């Protein structure tokens, strides 16, 4: 027996105790991944057969991190994000260096970047024109804009059906309004129904557009199933396209007609091709006026009570950021005071063929290494990446009970190796004392 075996055992046991102690110390560290000490025996170089070699002890071959899933805990911070499944957040520092993390405790810095311990969360941006994420491009730090997002005039979104869409039912059994009865927005006996919608000019100024529906009298030259539609803006009747005011006798009110077939469906889409246009001069507020299409294609004329089913438009006033949300597939969306939501970016996750080959950097971060292989970066839920859970964090995956049991075992191993050294010392003392 020599000291080598006992000394190697002491060193291995001490390293094991260090690993266990580090696991226990990080039992409350969000996103922490516990480690395991792995051992191997040691044989001296010799030409003898294995049956003649006692070995010279043990050593720690590696300390491998265990990337099993930790428990998920809900929080009140919408920017806390937990990964359920494979993948790491792709982080970037101010110098452009990339690292990877499972710690999803994020905050907004003063410039609107989503950060954790000074590292920027990265993702794919979004094309503001098309709303399509720039998937496949190099991920960049995600930044939210605190500044006003600006206003949009009704009808200016550029999408199909932009403008004012009305879906209502006009009662087919309702009375007609005699042709000789002059329309007046202030006299409910001169029309059958009315409804209002809020629309916006280019400055985001809200205007109330009221529509009045008046059933034509076939006996006085009107058409069966046809309704006249007159308009009022901010309490003033629209006389002609571009003019506002109180009509005098003989002044034609700007409007359109809605005609329905025998099945109660509108004829022509959009019915009447009605474009609502009020000039900038008429509004006199510095905007470019109002100019948008009105659609009645979902309106009907059935023998049931009048009701408004849909009333939508695509304009909005200015707004500022009031909240943030992150979807399970990584879409970061800003919510604004004007009721609008806007996609900001999409969080990316990176996976590795050998996650245990990652180089630990501290602060719950790892770096790519030759052993880990190159990162495979995808959106959450794509490839073999997991999904995200907002307002939640992934707890440490350390099993405290198991670590305490391991601690006892490692302590006993250390004591046993110390006894081995003590026994060798006793033997040597006996030899020294020989006369």
């Amino acid at each position: 027996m020599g000291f080598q075996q006992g000394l190697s055992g002491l060193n291995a046991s001490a390293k094991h105790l260090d690993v266990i102690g580090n696991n226990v110390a990080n039992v409350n560290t969000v996103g922490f991944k516990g480690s395991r000490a792995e051992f191997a025996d040691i044989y001296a170089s010799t030409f003898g057969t294995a049956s003649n070699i006692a070995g010279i002890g043990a050593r720690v071959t590696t300390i491998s991190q265990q990337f099993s899933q930790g428990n998920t805990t809900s929080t009140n911070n919408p920017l806390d994000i937990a990964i359920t499944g494979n993948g790491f957040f792709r982080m970037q520092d101010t110098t452009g260096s990339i690292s990877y993390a499972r710690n999803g405790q994020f905050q907004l810095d003063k410039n609107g970047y989503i950060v954790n311990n000074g590292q920027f969360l990265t993702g794919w941006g979004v094309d503001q024109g098309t709303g399509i994420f720039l998937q496949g491009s190099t991920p960049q730090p995600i930044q939210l804009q605190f500044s006003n997002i600006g206003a949009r005039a009704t009808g200016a979104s550029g999408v199909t059906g932009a403008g004012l869409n009305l879906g209502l039912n006009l009662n087919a059994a309702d009375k007609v309004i005699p042709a000789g009865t002059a329309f007046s927005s202030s006299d409910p006996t001169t029309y059958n129904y009315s409804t209002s919608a809020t629309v916006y000019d280019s400055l985001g100024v809200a205007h109330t557009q009221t529509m009045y529906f008046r059933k034509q009298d076939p006996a006085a030259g009107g058409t069966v199933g046809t309704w006249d539609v007159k308009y009022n803006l901010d309490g003033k009747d629209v006389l002609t396209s571009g003019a506002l005011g109180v009509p005098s006798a003989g002044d034609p009110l700007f409007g359109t007609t809605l005609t329905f077939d025998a099945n109660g469906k509108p004829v022509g889409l959009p019915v009447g091709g009605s474009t609502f246009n009020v000039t900038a001069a008429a509004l006199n507020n510095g905007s470019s006026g109002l100019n948008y299409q009105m659609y009645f294609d979902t309106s009907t004329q059935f023998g049931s009570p009048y009701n408004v089913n849909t009333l939508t438009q695509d304009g909005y006033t200015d707004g500022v950021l009031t909240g943030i949300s992150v979807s399970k597939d990584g879409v970061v969306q800003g919510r604004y005071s004007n009721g609008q939501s806007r996609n900001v970016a999409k969080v990316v996750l990176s996976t590795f063929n050998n996650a245990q080959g990652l180089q630990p950097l501290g602060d719950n971060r790892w770096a790519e290494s030759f052993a880990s292989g190159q990162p495979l970066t995808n959106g959450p839920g794509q490839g073999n990446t997991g999904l995200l859970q907002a307002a939640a964090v992934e707890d440490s995956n350390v099993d405290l009970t198991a670590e305490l049991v391991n601690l006892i075992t490692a302590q006993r191993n250390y004591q046993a190796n110390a006894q081995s050294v003590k026994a060798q010392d006793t033997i040597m003392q006996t030899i020294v004392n020989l006369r």
Side-chain angles (χ1 to χ4, degrees):
M1 174 182 282
F3 286 107
Q4 184 65 41
Q5 292 89 343
L7 288 173
S8 67
L10 286 173
N11 288 332
S13 296
K15 185 68 70 173
H16 192 195
L17 286 168
D18 288 343
V19 172
I20 296 171
N22 187 58
N23 288 343
V24 173
N26 286 281
V27 71
N28 289 321
T29 302
V30 170
F32 178 78
K33 299 302 178 184
S35 297
R36 180 180 68 189
E38 298 178 357
F39 305 92
D41 57 354
I42 307 174
Y43 279 86
S45 298
T46 178
F47 291 105
T49 62
S51 60
N52 296 326
I53 302 174
I56 57 174
R59 66 184 177 91
V60 176
T61 58
T62 186
I63 299 174
S64 63
Q65 289 200 287
Q66 308 301 301
F67 288 94
S68 58
Q69 179 75 41
N71 294 328
T72 300
T73 299
S74 298
T75 69
N76 293 321
N77 179 11
L79 279 180
D80 283 341
I81 307 173
I83 301 174
T84 56
N86 294 328
F88 297 83
F89 296 113
R90 184 182 182 276
M91 312 298 294
Q92 179 177 322
D93 65 14
T94 54
T95 67
S97 297
I98 304 301
S99 60
Y100 303 90
R102 294 279 297 196
N103 184 349
Q105 294 176 304
F106 295 108
Q107 304 87 30
L108 285 179
D109 70 6
K110 64 180 181 180
N111 296 315
Y113 288 102
I114 301 177
V115 298
N116 182 321
N117 291 326
Q119 302 288 316
F120 302 114
L121 178 65
T122 65
W124 291 314
V126 62
D127 186 313
Q128 294 300 327
T130 63
I132 298 175
F133 292 106
L134 304 176
Q135 189 163 333
S137 62
T138 301
Q140 300 295 325
I142 298 174
Q143 183 181 27
L144 289 96
Q145 298 295 332
F146 292 118
S147 59
N148 296 27
I149 64 171
R152 185 172 73 191
T154 299
S157 65
V159 300
T160 302
L164 180 61
N165 290 263
L166 298 98
L168 45 83
N169 181 68
L170 300 172
N171 193 343
D174 218 342
K175 66 177 182 178
V176 299
I177 301 297
T181 302
F183 169 80
S184 173
S185 58
S186 60
D187 184 0
T189 64
T190 64
Y191 55 88
N192 299 83
Y193 308 110
S194 67
T195 189
S196 297
T198 300
V199 294
Y200 298 89
D201 62 28
S202 60
L203 296 178
V205 177
H207 301 276
T208 302
Q209 178 187 337
T210 305
M211 291 140 283
Y212 303 90
F213 301 92
R214 172 185 167 112
K215 193 174 185 180
Q216 288 188 359
D217 184 2
T223 304
V224 175
T226 297
W227 299 68
D228 293 322
V229 186
K230 308 297 183 181
Y231 302 104
N232 179 288
L233 186 70
D234 297 335
K236 296 181 179 180
D237 291 331
V238 180
L239 300 178
T240 61
S241 179
L244 294 174
V246 179
S248 59
D251 283 334
L253 283 166
F254 174 61
T256 187
T257 57
L258 297 180
T259 301
F260 298 89
D261 62 20
N263 295 314
K265 301 297 183 181
V267 177
L269 299 175
V271 178
S274 180
T275 299
F276 191 80
N277 187 312
V278 177
T279 64
L283 294 184
N284 193 28
N285 64 358
S287 73
S288 59
L290 294 171
N291 185 7
Y292 52 86
Q293 184 71 54
M294 288 180 294
Y295 297 88
F296 297 91
D297 47 292
T298 58
S299 296
T300 57
Q301 179 189 249
F302 294 126
S304 55
Y306 165 79
N307 65 84
V308 179
N309 301 312
T310 58
L311 187 61
T312 61
Q313 59 85 41
D314 60 330
Y316 51 78
T317 189
D318 189 20
V320 295
L321 184 69
T322 58
I324 305 166
S325 63
V326 182
S327 69
K328 66 179 181 179
D329 56 353
V331 176
V332 181
Q333 192 173 73
R335 299 190 304 276
Y336 296 86
S337 58
N338 56 4
Q340 299 299 306
S341 296
R342 180 171 294 181
N343 291 341
V344 177
K346 186 170 185 176
V347 178
V348 297
L349 296 179
S350 295
T351 59
F352 296 86
N353 290 334
N354 177 25
Q356 290 185 340
L358 291 169
Q359 177 185 351
L361 299 177
D363 288 335
N364 280 355
R365 294 185 295 116
W366 295 266
E368 173 191 347
S369 72
F370 179 80
S372 69
Q374 295 186 7
L376 306 174
T377 301
N378 290 289
Q382 298 175 337
N384 65 340
T385 61
L387 296 173
L388 304 184
Q389 182 176 341
V393 293
E394 181 190 7
D395 297 335
S396 168
N397 68 347
V398 172
D399 184 338
L400 185 58
T401 302
E403 292 301 320
L404 293 177
V405 172
N406 291 338
L407 183 63
I408 295 172
T409 303
Q411 181 183 6
R412 295 306 182 199
N413 288 341
Y414 192 94
Q415 291 173 334
N417 282 285
Q419 288 296 325
S420 173
V421 173
K422 183 178 180 181
Q424 181 64 23
D425 178 60
T426 301
I427 292 173
M428 291 189 66
Q429 186 65 38
T430 298
I431 294 174
V432 170
N433 291 336
L434 287 175
R435 296 291 190 269

